[in-house]
Amino acid sequence: MNVTTSPSSDDLARACAEAMWKDDQASQGLGMTIVDVKSGEATLAMTIRPGMVNGHNIAHGGFIFTLADSAFAFACNSHNERAVAAQGSITFIRPGKLGDRLVATAREVSKSGRSGIYDVRVTAGDVVIAEFRGHSRIIGGTLVPGTWDNNNNRSEQTT
């Protein structure tokens, strides 16, 4: 008996994240973890370690930016189209502190043609630490092999 199954767009997003994660030395090296990935969305977390604080004994902005940028990358690559950052900016609202578990939640605002816009909120608990906006550009190619339809669903034949 042949049964056709179609994984959801969120299944595709998770498959893309898994493919990216295995080669993402930067995010792994900073101790980031993937909390959740869905189509057009991604949440990553990172704990501020001693080597991540600056001369004011607060989280260095570059590490906060990197966490937000990584969440942005997983969100904009969730459609199985290879995408890179074309531009990114961040507004620091409150300082992160040593030991804080920062959570960056990225969501797609707009995707049209080869361009996308994503907003990322970085929090420590209920406190907003920073807001990031990234612009993505599709560069061609896919992260996950296979045949996918226009809704980013892959048809698989099982017996």
Side-chain angles (χ1 to χ4, degrees):
M1 177 168 117
N2 283 339
V3 177
T4 302
T5 61
S6 295
S8 71
S9 57
D10 289 345
D11 291 334
L12 173 61
R14 285 186 287 276
C16 290
E18 185 177 308
M20 283 181 55
W21 184 255
K22 69 180 178 68
D23 294 325
D24 188 345
Q25 300 291 319
S27 297
Q28 290 180 41
L30 291 173
M32 291 182 201
T33 58
I34 298 173
V35 175
D36 192 28
V37 177
K38 296 178 184 171
S39 181
E41 300 177 15
T43 302
L44 273 69
M46 176 181 76
T47 299
I48 299 300
R49 303 183 307 220
M52 297 175 169
V53 296
N54 62 21
H56 299 292
N57 204 34
I58 58 175
H60 190 290
F63 291 107
I64 298 170
F65 186 99
T66 302
L67 174 63
D69 184 49
S70 288
F72 161 53
F74 282 92
C76 71
N77 279 278
S78 67
H79 302 293
N80 203 28
E81 297 177 290
R82 287 192 183 271
V84 296
Q87 190 271 335
S89 63
I90 195 165
T91 301
F92 299 106
I93 299 169
R94 299 261 190 281
K97 297 181 177 77
L98 181 64
D100 280 352
R101 180 175 188 259
L102 301 184
V103 177
T105 302
R107 68 175 181 79
E108 187 173 274
V109 174
S110 171
K111 185 172 180 293
S112 179
R114 293 176 54 204
S115 300
I117 299 173
Y118 295 77
D119 284 342
V120 183
R121 174 168 281 174
V122 179
T123 59
D126 292 334
V127 177
V128 177
I129 300 297
E131 296 281 353
F132 172 100
R133 174 159 277 191
H135 297 248
S136 67
R137 188 73 171 167
I138 301 297
I139 59 171
T142 59
L143 294 158
V144 180
T147 304
W148 299 84
D149 67 19
N150 290 337
N151 295 317
N152 288 331
N153 292 317
R154 179 172 64 178
S155 296
E156 298 175 342
Q157 293 290 325
T158 61
T159 56

Short mmCIF file of all heavy atoms in Angstrom, two decimals, residues 116-139:
data_model
loop_
_atom_site.label_atom_id
_atom_site.label_comp_id
_atom_site.label_asym_id
_atom_site.label_seq_id
_atom_site.Cartn_x
_atom_site.Cartn_y
_atom_site.Cartn_z
N GLY A 116 13.99 39.54 2.57
CA GLY A 116 13.15 39.34 3.75
C GLY A 116 13.54 40.30 4.85
O GLY A 116 14.66 40.81 4.88
N ILE A 117 12.58 40.56 5.74
CA ILE A 117 12.82 41.39 6.92
C ILE A 117 12.38 40.59 8.13
O ILE A 117 11.29 40.01 8.14
CB ILE A 117 12.05 42.73 6.84
CG1 ILE A 117 12.50 43.53 5.62
CG2 ILE A 117 12.24 43.53 8.13
CD1 ILE A 117 11.67 44.79 5.37
N TYR A 118 13.23 40.57 9.16
CA TYR A 118 12.99 39.80 10.37
C TYR A 118 13.26 40.65 11.59
O TYR A 118 14.24 41.39 11.62
CB TYR A 118 13.89 38.55 10.39
CG TYR A 118 13.56 37.59 9.28
CD1 TYR A 118 13.98 37.84 7.97
CD2 TYR A 118 12.78 36.47 9.51
CE1 TYR A 118 13.64 36.99 6.93
CE2 TYR A 118 12.44 35.61 8.49
CZ TYR A 118 12.87 35.87 7.20
OH TYR A 118 12.52 35.02 6.16
N ASP A 119 12.38 40.55 12.58
CA ASP A 119 12.59 41.21 13.87
C ASP A 119 12.95 40.16 14.90
O ASP A 119 12.39 39.06 14.92
CB ASP A 119 11.33 41.95 14.32
CG ASP A 119 11.13 43.26 13.57
OD1 ASP A 119 12.09 43.78 12.96
OD2 ASP A 119 9.99 43.78 13.58
N VAL A 120 13.89 40.53 15.77
CA VAL A 120 14.35 39.63 16.82
C VAL A 120 14.30 40.38 18.15
O VAL A 120 14.86 41.47 18.26
CB VAL A 120 15.80 39.14 16.58
CG1 VAL A 120 16.22 38.14 17.65
CG2 VAL A 120 15.96 38.55 15.18
N ARG A 121 13.64 39.79 19.11
CA ARG A 121 13.61 40.34 20.47
C ARG A 121 14.50 39.47 21.35
O ARG A 121 14.35 38.26 21.37
CB ARG A 121 12.19 40.37 21.01
CG ARG A 121 12.12 40.81 22.48
CD ARG A 121 10.72 41.11 22.90
NE ARG A 121 10.42 42.44 22.37
CZ ARG A 121 9.22 43.00 22.45
NH1 ARG A 121 8.23 42.36 23.00
NH2 ARG A 121 9.03 44.21 21.96
N VAL A 122 15.41 40.11 22.07
CA VAL A 122 16.29 39.40 23.00
C VAL A 122 15.83 39.74 24.41
O VAL A 122 15.72 40.92 24.77
CB VAL A 122 17.77 39.80 22.81
CG1 VAL A 122 18.66 39.07 23.79
CG2 VAL A 122 18.22 39.55 21.37
N THR A 123 15.57 38.69 25.20
CA THR A 123 15.08 38.88 26.56
C THR A 123 15.93 38.11 27.56
O THR A 123 16.61 37.15 27.22
CB THR A 123 13.62 38.40 26.70
OG1 THR A 123 13.54 37.03 26.35
CG2 THR A 123 12.68 39.22 25.81
N ALA A 124 15.84 38.55 28.81
CA ALA A 124 16.37 37.81 29.96
C ALA A 124 15.19 37.70 30.91
O ALA A 124 14.81 38.69 31.55
CB ALA A 124 17.54 38.54 30.61
N GLY A 125 14.55 36.55 30.93
CA GLY A 125 13.29 36.42 31.67
C GLY A 125 12.25 37.29 31.00
O GLY A 125 12.05 37.21 29.78
N ASP A 126 11.61 38.15 31.77
CA ASP A 126 10.59 39.06 31.22
C ASP A 126 11.16 40.40 30.79
O ASP A 126 10.41 41.27 30.32
CB ASP A 126 9.49 39.29 32.27
CG ASP A 126 8.68 38.05 32.55
OD1 ASP A 126 8.59 37.17 31.67
OD2 ASP A 126 8.15 37.94 33.68
N VAL A 127 12.46 40.59 30.93
CA VAL A 127 13.10 41.87 30.63
C VAL A 127 13.60 41.87 29.19
O VAL A 127 14.36 40.99 28.79
CB VAL A 127 14.27 42.14 31.61
CG1 VAL A 127 14.99 43.44 31.26
CG2 VAL A 127 13.76 42.17 33.04
N VAL A 128 13.19 42.89 28.43
CA VAL A 128 13.68 43.03 27.06
C VAL A 128 15.07 43.66 27.12
O VAL A 128 15.25 44.75 27.67
CB VAL A 128 12.72 43.89 26.20
CG1 VAL A 128 13.30 44.08 24.79
CG2 VAL A 128 11.35 43.24 26.13
N ILE A 129 16.04 42.94 26.55
CA ILE A 129 17.43 43.39 26.54
C ILE A 129 17.75 44.17 25.27
O ILE A 129 18.45 45.18 25.32
CB ILE A 129 18.38 42.17 26.65
CG1 ILE A 129 18.11 41.39 27.94
CG2 ILE A 129 19.84 42.57 26.53
CD1 ILE A 129 18.38 42.16 29.20
N ALA A 130 17.23 43.70 24.13
CA ALA A 130 17.56 44.34 22.85
C ALA A 130 16.50 43.99 21.80
O ALA A 130 15.83 42.97 21.90
CB ALA A 130 18.94 43.90 22.37
N GLU A 131 16.42 44.85 20.80
CA GLU A 131 15.59 44.62 19.61
C GLU A 131 16.50 44.71 18.39
O GLU A 131 17.29 45.65 18.26
CB GLU A 131 14.48 45.68 19.49
CG GLU A 131 13.47 45.66 20.61
CD GLU A 131 12.41 44.57 20.47
OE1 GLU A 131 12.37 43.90 19.41
OE2 GLU A 131 11.62 44.39 21.42
N PHE A 132 16.40 43.72 17.53
CA PHE A 132 17.26 43.58 16.35
C PHE A 132 16.36 43.51 15.12
O PHE A 132 15.29 42.90 15.17
CB PHE A 132 18.06 42.28 16.49
CG PHE A 132 18.88 41.85 15.30
CD1 PHE A 132 20.24 42.08 15.25
CD2 PHE A 132 18.30 41.15 14.25
CE1 PHE A 132 21.01 41.63 14.18
CE2 PHE A 132 19.05 40.71 13.17
CZ PHE A 132 20.42 40.96 13.13
N ARG A 133 16.78 44.13 14.03
CA ARG A 133 16.09 43.97 12.75
C ARG A 133 17.13 43.55 11.72
O ARG A 133 18.18 44.17 11.58
CB ARG A 133 15.42 45.26 12.30
CG ARG A 133 14.83 45.09 10.88
CD ARG A 133 13.76 46.05 10.53
NE ARG A 133 12.49 45.55 11.06
CZ ARG A 133 11.32 46.08 10.73
NH1 ARG A 133 11.25 47.11 9.93
NH2 ARG A 133 10.21 45.59 11.24
N GLY A 134 16.81 42.48 11.01
CA GLY A 134 17.70 41.97 9.98
C GLY A 134 17.02 41.90 8.63
O GLY A 134 15.82 41.61 8.54
N HIS A 135 17.79 42.19 7.61
CA HIS A 135 17.33 42.08 6.22
C HIS A 135 18.08 40.92 5.58
O HIS A 135 19.31 40.88 5.63
CB HIS A 135 17.62 43.37 5.45
CG HIS A 135 16.88 44.55 5.98
ND1 HIS A 135 15.88 45.17 5.29
CD2 HIS A 135 16.99 45.22 7.16
CE1 HIS A 135 15.40 46.18 6.00
NE2 HIS A 135 16.07 46.23 7.15
N SER A 136 17.34 39.99 5.01
CA SER A 136 17.97 38.81 4.42
C SER A 136 17.93 38.88 2.89
O SER A 136 17.14 39.63 2.30
CB SER A 136 17.25 37.54 4.87
OG SER A 136 15.93 37.49 4.35
N ARG A 137 18.80 38.08 2.29
CA ARG A 137 18.87 37.97 0.83
C ARG A 137 19.03 36.51 0.47
O ARG A 137 19.94 35.84 0.98
CB ARG A 137 20.04 38.79 0.30
CG ARG A 137 20.10 38.90 -1.19
CD ARG A 137 19.04 39.84 -1.68
NE ARG A 137 19.24 40.10 -3.09
CZ ARG A 137 18.35 40.67 -3.86
NH1 ARG A 137 17.21 41.07 -3.36
NH2 ARG A 137 18.59 40.86 -5.12
N ILE A 138 18.16 36.00 -0.38
CA ILE A 138 18.25 34.62 -0.87
C ILE A 138 19.42 34.56 -1.84
O ILE A 138 19.54 35.37 -2.75
CB ILE A 138 16.95 34.20 -1.59
CG1 ILE A 138 15.74 34.30 -0.65
CG2 ILE A 138 17.08 32.79 -2.17
CD1 ILE A 138 15.76 33.42 0.53
N ILE A 139 20.30 33.55 -1.65
CA ILE A 139 21.49 33.43 -2.50
C ILE A 139 21.44 32.21 -3.42
O ILE A 139 22.36 31.98 -4.19
CB ILE A 139 22.78 33.39 -1.65
CG1 ILE A 139 22.77 32.21 -0.67
CG2 ILE A 139 22.97 34.73 -0.94
CD1 ILE A 139 24.09 31.98 0.04
#
